[in-house]
Amino acid sequence: MKVKIYPSKVHGTVAIPSSKSMAHRALICASLAKGCSTLSGITPSKDIEATISCMQALGAKIEQVEDNYIVHGTNLQVQVQNILCDCHESGSTLRFLIPVASLTNQKVTFIGQGRLMKRPMDIYQTLFDQQNLSFIQEEDHIEIQGALKENHYTIPGNVSSQFISGLLFTLPLLPKESTITIQEPFESKSYVDLTLQMLKNFGITIYQKGNTYSIPGSQHYQAKNVHVEGDYSQMAFFGVLASLQSELTITNMDPDSMQGDKAILQQLQNAGAKVSIKNNQITVTHQLLQAQTIDLANCPDLGPILCVLASFCKGYTHFIHAKRLRIKESDRIEAMESELKKWGVDISSTEDTITIYGKEAYDRKDVIIDGHNDHRIVMAMSVFGLCAKHPSVIQGAEAITKSYPTFFDDICKIHGKVEIV
């Protein structure tokens, strides 16, 4: 799908979809609980559909009733057939569920699309090898067999937090206590905190002392009714858009959220935008903007849209701890560098950093953007296009369905002009 983005002065109010991070976690916990849970507020997307289909493959019963998901949990240990889990392009689904699925003690095959099966899985490979369990990774699938055991696990802190969360979902179900110790530097800790929060909601007890988590065994997930809060990583697109040109009121946001991507609020303020919070509403207003240094260690998903912000902030913006952007749906550093240069942005990068020298306006004509099969690249470059001087075309815009299928609809609701080509 191609879309044409026209320069537009946006205004009004937009409701942000549910946190994809929290929705994954709620669906997994509810699927592991005995009894029936009701999950409200979840916004459908391809990634969420992937987690639902995989938990169904593992025995859970999940149905959508109006705006709610009704979840009847599964007992992993009574699954008696080989299992196929299609993760589509969802890295969260894959990394969360590999340890969980191991508890079936059956052969489980994970498949996916795009770059998913090429993403690093060395952490799990090593853990499975150490316990003499089967872990086979090929270009188009991962196959496991054998249940992970209680252990004292040590995990590097500079890898995806999804490996840590996968273990945290799994270890409470084992007969005896386990521990997980995270080595410094502990990056993306905020995402682990989200997992702990959801586990607590579903009755799981985990003790933390420093970077060590103690997980008592023989625990049971308890069915709960949970409302899933709005997503700060999606809010960021509208927050940046408002900070660059106008004022927007953004709703369905929890001001007390533990999401690491809530850092967008501070980053917008550091850039000079005005941010006001009242109940579940955040109003962002454009003011004179300035460059800054941005640390992406705990909020890598904000990288693409913050590159757009930096492009319009006069002076040098430096991004540090950015290397995890290279192993997402695309190499997001390379993708943003390639696409922003089409507009004339002064951008350069190293393996772990990005530097952008911003200016107030960009007026190139006939710019054609490649979406890189990456939802965050498409959405970030859409925001850029709305703020540029001339229309642009984005190819591969269907990538938004991975996380935010109604993104262009919401842009139109705030008077942004988007045309399907």
Side-chain angles (χ1 to χ4, degrees):
M1 180 177 77
K2 295 181 182 179
V3 295
K4 192 168 187 177
I5 308 292
Y6 292 85
S8 307
K9 187 79 169 181
V10 301
H11 57 90
T13 300
V14 60
I16 299 300
S18 64
S19 165
K20 190 159 63 80
S21 294
M22 296 302 279
H24 282 303
R25 289 161 170 80
L27 285 162
I28 292 168
C29 289
S31 295
L32 296 176
K34 183 178 181 180
C36 178
S37 300
T38 299
L39 308 180
S40 60
I42 293 180
T43 305
S45 67
K46 285 189 175 180
D47 277 11
I48 295 306
E49 291 170 5
T51 290
I52 289 172
S53 68
C54 288
M55 294 313 304
Q56 289 173 327
L58 292 169
K61 296 180 179 179
I62 304 173
E63 61 177 333
Q64 185 175 1
V65 179
E66 295 180 347
D67 294 332
N68 298 325
Y69 285 88
I70 311 301
V71 183
H72 295 268
T74 181
N75 182 347
L76 296 171
Q77 296 173 341
V78 300
Q79 304 305 307
V80 293
Q81 57 185 1
N82 295 338
I83 299 161
L84 177 66
C85 293
D86 187 349
C87 300
H88 303 298
E89 287 189 88
S90 175
S92 296
T93 303
L94 178 62
R95 287 175 174 154
F96 286 162
L97 294 186
I98 284 175
V100 171
S102 80
L103 298 189
T104 64
N105 217 18
Q106 304 297 317
K107 182 185 292 184
V108 183
T109 302
F110 293 89
I111 60 173
Q113 300 170 5
R115 287 164 36 114
L116 182 61
M117 289 299 148
K118 297 180 181 179
R119 293 203 195 180
M121 293 290 162
D122 296 350
I123 297 298
Y124 286 152
Q125 179 77 67
T126 299
L127 296 183
F128 275 68
D129 288 348
Q130 289 173 345
Q131 297 188 17
N132 295 317
L133 307 175
S134 177
F135 187 101
I136 301 171
Q137 182 171 6
E138 303 289 353
E139 286 193 359
D140 60 348
H141 73 278
I142 293 174
E143 181 184 285
I144 66 169
Q145 186 164 18
L148 284 171
K149 305 174 182 66
E150 307 94 337
N151 206 343
H152 300 293
Y153 293 90
T154 300
I155 306 293
N158 61 351
V159 298
S160 171
S161 64
Q162 294 164 356
F163 293 111
I164 302 165
S165 291
L167 291 172
L168 288 171
F169 288 127
T170 306
L171 298 179
L173 298 174
L174 300 181
K176 298 179 181 179
E177 181 179 16
S178 297
T179 62
I180 305 173
T181 298
I182 312 302
Q183 298 172 323
E184 293 287 356
F186 191 175
E187 299 177 2
S188 295
K189 180 178 181 296
S190 59
Y191 290 101
V192 176
D193 290 339
L194 293 183
T195 302
L196 295 174
Q197 177 186 353
M198 192 61 70
L199 287 168
K200 184 177 180 180
N201 286 343
F202 283 85
I204 297 298
T205 298
I206 294 178
Y207 302 101
Q208 181 180 357
K209 185 176 181 180
N211 287 354
T212 296
Y213 300 92
S214 298
I215 305 108
S218 300
Q219 297 192 62
H220 303 279
Y221 285 80
Q222 300 168 16
K224 295 288 182 181
N225 298 334
V226 172
H227 178 77
V228 179
E229 65 189 63
D231 193 326
Y232 274 93
S233 68
Q234 309 291 33
M235 175 270 172
F237 295 102
F238 295 94
V240 167
L241 179 57
S243 73
L244 292 179
Q245 56 154 263
S246 59
E247 178 178 291
L248 288 174
T249 296
I250 303 163
T251 65
N252 194 34
M253 306 309 301
D254 179 1
D256 299 319
S257 174
M258 296 175 64
Q259 294 177 51
D261 291 330
K262 186 182 171 185
I264 186 62
L265 302 182
Q266 187 61 57
Q267 288 154 348
L268 292 176
Q269 290 175 311
N270 291 347
K274 181 181 178 182
V275 178
S276 304
I277 302 174
K278 184 177 181 181
N279 299 325
N280 73 335
Q281 296 187 349
I282 300 171
T283 300
V284 180
T285 305
H286 167 68
Q287 295 185 143
L288 185 64
L289 300 179
Q290 60 193 15
Q292 58 179 306
T293 296
I294 299 175
D295 188 341
L296 293 176
N298 280 309
C299 53
D301 284 345
L302 297 181
I305 190 57
L306 286 175
C307 285
V308 173
L309 176 67
S311 299
F312 289 90
C313 292
K314 189 173 182 180
Y316 284 102
T317 296
H318 300 283
F319 295 86
I320 60 175
H321 301 134
K323 64 183 177 182
R324 295 221 332 274
L325 273 68
R326 294 195 179 279
I327 53 173
K328 296 290 187 175
E329 286 82 346
S330 67
D331 178 339
R332 287 179 174 164
I333 294 177
E334 186 279 329
M336 289 305 295
E337 188 169 356
S338 172
E339 303 314 310
L340 289 174
K341 282 181 175 178
K342 293 177 181 178
W343 278 109
V345 176
D346 183 350
I347 176 173
S348 60
S349 66
T350 68
E351 181 64 22
D352 195 31
T353 68
I354 308 168
T355 300
I356 295 175
Y357 185 80
K359 61 182 184 179
E360 292 182 0
Y362 296 88
D363 60 0
R364 289 192 177 181
K365 296 181 179 180
D366 302 320
V367 173
I368 299 176
I369 297 297
D370 181 356
H372 291 261
N373 193 36
D374 191 324
H375 54 133
R376 298 199 188 278
I377 303 301
V378 172
M379 291 188 282
M381 295 310 300
S382 296
V383 171
F384 194 108
L386 291 167
C387 299
K389 294 293 186 181
H390 298 286
S392 59
V393 171
I394 301 179
Q395 298 174 329
E398 68 277 3
I400 62 165
T401 59
K402 178 174 169 48
S403 67
Y404 196 164
T406 60
F407 175 73
F408 292 124
D409 295 332
D410 287 347
I411 290 292
C412 292
K413 288 177 184 176
I414 55 172
H415 309 282
K417 186 176 179 183
V418 179
E419 180 182 290
I420 306 297
V421 178

